Amino acid sequence: MLTIAVYVEHASGSVRRASLEALGAAAATGHEVVAILAGDGAEGAASGCAGAARAVCIAGSLASPDALARATADAARQIGARAFVASATSTGKDLAPRVAALLGSALLADCTALSATGDVLRATRPTLAGKVLIQATSSGPVFCATLRRNVFGAASGAGPAGISKAAGVNDFKAMLQSIASKTGSKLDVSEAPIVVAGGRGMKGPEHFALLEELAAAFGSAAVGASRAVVDAGWRPHGEQVGQTGKTVAPQLYVAVGISGAIQHLAGMKTSKVIVAINKDPEAPIFKHADYGIVGDAFEVLPVLTQAVKALRAQ
Amino acid sequence: MKIVACIKRVPATETQAKIAANGKGLEPAGVEYMLSFYDEIAVEEAIRTKERVGSGEVIVLTLGPAEARKELVECLAKGADRAILLVDPAWSSRDSLSTAKLLAAKIGELAPDLVFTGRVATDTDSAAVGPMLATLLGRGCVTDVVKLTIEGGGKLKAERESEAGIEMYELALPALITCQKGLNEPRYAGLKGIMAAKKKPVEEVAVQDVPNQIAVETAQLPPARKEGRIVGTGAAAVPALLEALRKEAQVV
């Protein structure tokens, strides 16, 4: 039996969905899972770490990425972890390589499968923008991996039987001073279960309101954008989906007026269901879509939005 | 100010992937290469930082095959001063930690004030080498930086794009920054730069072998998606689409 340490993110006293998925993936290997939490409110959130046998709460704040990494690596060592797993969120992607380096271990990043054969862990990860899937093991002292969101089932059931404390690290190199939050409480495109994305076919930034209305009709949905649209300044880079933007794997991805360049497909082709709406019946996006509508976005979108609203009102 | 920009030669975005005969990686025959997208931003920020400070040296560093000289020369043409190529026959199968160790050994010797890397290399898609390097070197590091300000007394302000919004960090030199899109607009090399690059030094260094920990068991092309279908044309197709999403796909 191995011990797998899972770094768990939390907000407002609750474990983040992405971390529940990481806990679920770790627990599904059949090995022992120990949750590591840090920051204010960690102890409150620790009881929500389904799938974990125990939880360790690091004292102190989350404000220095290097201090957090050292405290997390120390906690992983104390636990006797043979594996360290985090979610491939913006926090996890920053933290995990640092922790891996401190543990003298390589990292398998943004994995889409995790399994165990006895004490051998293996992971699958997309490389070359998803064009090649690698299945790999690690001979390092600690098997370190980050897990892609919306791919693994969330852990459910009982929380940890024991919650303990671990010391924080006081000296630091970089320190967070402030966060300029995104306007409103908008879901990030990489965490939303539904993404409604627009491309050049939207013809101008003013027409993205149509996509925002569709996203609002769906409920928990985010608006995404193609590279062309971001490069043209119509939408912020934080919304860009693709090889030079974010990788998303929502339940439903609706591509509107997006032709389907390789660089865009790289960021969304592991979505569960892909819908394409495009005027051009020859657009490459249709080859990758589960369902397509050939048509003008400006005609289709308002009707689709109304229909989704009606469906959800039922 | 002494600045190192780390770059990587990667398969071009348009590469049609084929699996090599050993089943463990990309078949290299016929693959065209390019400078990784985010590394262009790293090189640009290195050159701009030197220009802003008014003095110093920009060294471009890569671990790669002898052919990576091409990408290094591109960076020299844009304004970097010299280049170092850690020649590694095993470059394409290196894991994140062994890559970071080999780069860290060289950067340790160079002792630059600032190191820039791209946010992620667009071949392995790991985004690991930058923060690993910083950790091995004991440097302050901010990842995914969209704005960097050099202040007096060796202090830096770095803005990081995260899911929460824009996070503002303070750190001190020596530091390492991983560069996100939006930090700058990389310049094109002019004719003058291309000519000047021919006279700039590219030092080739053989690397000692650092073993990989990651062992690739298989490399495969992703399974083909089940063939989709056009549900209809125009707004009239909306009911058919919703029906399919509800009953077949069960996602709404």
Side-chain angles (χ1 to χ4, degrees):
Chain A
M1 183 87 135
L2 302 176
T3 299
I4 304 178
V6 176
Y7 182 80
V8 171
E9 296 174 51
H10 55 93
S12 321
S14 300
V15 175
R16 286 185 70 187
R17 163 90 197 178
S19 294
L20 281 176
E21 292 166 5
L23 287 164
T29 63
H31 290 285
E32 183 193 44
V33 177
V34 179
I36 299 177
L37 300 92
D40 296 337
E43 275 151 64
S47 59
C49 291
R54 289 181 288 138
V56 176
C57 298
I58 296 168
S61 84
L62 298 168
S64 166
D66 46 277
L68 175 64
R70 275 180 296 139
T72 304
D74 288 346
R77 276 193 211 100
Q78 276 161 19
I79 291 164
R82 291 277 306 282
F84 174 78
V85 171
S87 182
T89 56
S90 59
T91 297
K93 283 193 273 194
D94 179 276
L95 176 69
R98 301 179 196 247
V99 171
L102 290 165
L103 297 173
S105 300
L107 176 74
L108 288 158
D110 205 18
C111 299
T112 52
L114 179 70
S115 64
T117 314
D119 282 355
V120 177
L121 293 172
R122 57 172 54 75
T124 301
R125 58 179 308 266
T127 63
L128 281 163
K131 284 183 250 184
V132 177
L133 297 179
I134 298 288
Q135 182 186 294
T137 57
S138 174
S139 62
V142 180
F143 178 97
C144 295
T146 56
L147 306 182
R148 183 172 289 188
R149 273 192 280 190
N150 293 330
V151 171
F152 297 90
S156 59
I163 297 172
S164 57
K165 290 184 191 179
V169 166
N170 291 321
D171 59 321
F172 61 87
K173 304 228 182 266
M175 180 56 80
L176 179 66
Q177 305 296 322
S178 61
I179 303 179
S181 296
K182 276 184 285 204
T183 44
S185 55
K186 270 205 268 179
L187 264 180
D188 190 83
V189 69
S190 60
E191 64 187 329
I194 297 178
V195 173
V196 177
R200 230 182 321 223
M202 294 306 294
K203 295 204 166 79
E206 65 279 16
H207 299 129
F208 272 72
L210 290 169
L211 294 176
E212 277 166 1
E213 284 157 18
L214 178 58
F218 274 123
S220 46
V223 171
S226 72
R227 178 175 176 173
V229 156
V230 172
D231 285 352
W234 297 359
R235 301 298 289 187
H237 177 244
E239 290 182 4
Q240 187 185 324
V241 173
Q243 191 168 21
T244 57
K246 286 178 176 155
T247 303
V248 302
Q251 295 291 314
L252 174 61
Y253 189 90
V254 184
V256 185
I258 291 177
S259 64
I262 288 174
Q263 108 90 34
H264 186 77
L265 295 170
M268 45 62 85
K269 68 182 176 194
T270 55
S271 303
K272 294 243 161 46
V273 175
I274 298 171
V275 169
I277 300 169
N278 204 297
K279 238 170 34 179
D280 175 10
E282 302 299 318
I285 189 75
F286 284 122
K287 290 198 181 68
H288 302 270
D290 300 287
Y291 306 107
I293 292 181
V294 178
D296 186 299
F298 301 104
E299 278 171 32
V300 177
L301 282 173
V303 176
L304 181 56
T305 300
Q306 285 312 317
V308 170
K309 273 188 195 160
L311 184 67
R312 286 183 34 99
Q314 272 174 26
Chain B
M1 185 175 292
K2 192 170 188 178
I3 303 166
V4 167
C6 296
I7 67 152
K8 190 174 187 188
R9 171 182 167 94
V10 299
T13 311
E14 299 73 26
T15 301
Q16 297 286 333
K18 286 197 198 96
I19 302 298
N22 70 4
K24 297 200 171 179
L26 180 71
E27 166 58 49
V31 174
E32 305 256 331
Y33 291 87
M34 65 176 201
L35 177 57
S36 181
F37 174 83
Y38 295 98
D39 298 350
E40 290 202 43
I41 301 171
V43 170
E44 179 65 31
E45 198 63 17
I47 296 168
R48 285 192 193 194
T49 302
K50 177 187 155 183
E51 288 169 352
R52 265 185 228 131
V53 175
S55 67
E57 183 183 32
V58 173
I59 305 164
V60 253
L61 171 65
T62 194
L63 176 89
E67 292 81 2
R69 175 179 280 267
K70 173 181 151 279
E71 283 73 28
L72 288 173
V73 171
E74 280 174 27
C75 301
L76 296 176
K78 291 180 183 211
D81 298 295
R82 63 185 173 105
I84 301 172
L85 170 52
L86 304 179
V87 185
D88 180 13
W91 71 285
S92 63
S93 58
R94 285 235 165 261
D95 65 27
S96 45
L97 186 70
S98 74
T99 304
K101 280 183 175 171
L102 288 164
L103 292 171
K106 191 67 196 176
I107 293 170
E109 276 172 35
L110 296 166
D113 302 289
L114 251 178
V115 179
F116 290 104
T117 72
R119 176 180 78 80
V120 61
T122 57
D123 55 351
T124 49
D125 293 334
S126 285
V129 168
M132 278 186 169
L133 252 181
T135 305
L136 295 174
L137 293 164
R139 286 171 175 248
C141 167
V142 180
T143 57
D144 303 355
V145 170
V146 291
K147 189 174 179 207
L148 181 69
T149 316
I150 316 269
E151 312 217 304
K155 295 261 186 287
L156 304 177
K157 280 197 162 123
E159 293 184 9
R160 172 176 194 258
E161 185 182 275
S162 81
E163 287 151 18
I166 298 293
E167 303 171 347
M168 211 281 288
Y169 289 87
E170 284 182 6
L171 70 168
L173 297 173
L176 185 147
I177 298 294
T178 86
C179 302
Q180 169 67 299
K181 185 173 172 179
L183 178 60
N184 58 48
E185 274 300 321
R187 71 191 69 188
Y188 291 98
L191 185 61
K192 210 173 129 193
I194 292 168
M195 297 310 289
K198 292 182 178 172
K199 295 196 186 100
K200 292 178 179 174
V202 180
E203 180 192 349
E204 291 191 13
V205 183
V207 296
Q208 94 265 29
D209 196 35
V210 171
N212 284 320
Q213 293 177 359
I214 303 295
V216 173
E217 295 180 322
T218 60
Q220 289 178 304
L221 300 180
R225 285 188 86 90
K226 142 177 102 54
E227 192 149 345
R229 60 186 163 91
I230 303 288
V231 296
T233 306
V238 165
L241 173 65
L242 276 186
E243 184 78 359
L245 291 179
R246 216 157 56 93
K247 298 232 168 107
E248 282 175 35
Q250 301 183 334
V251 288
V252 293

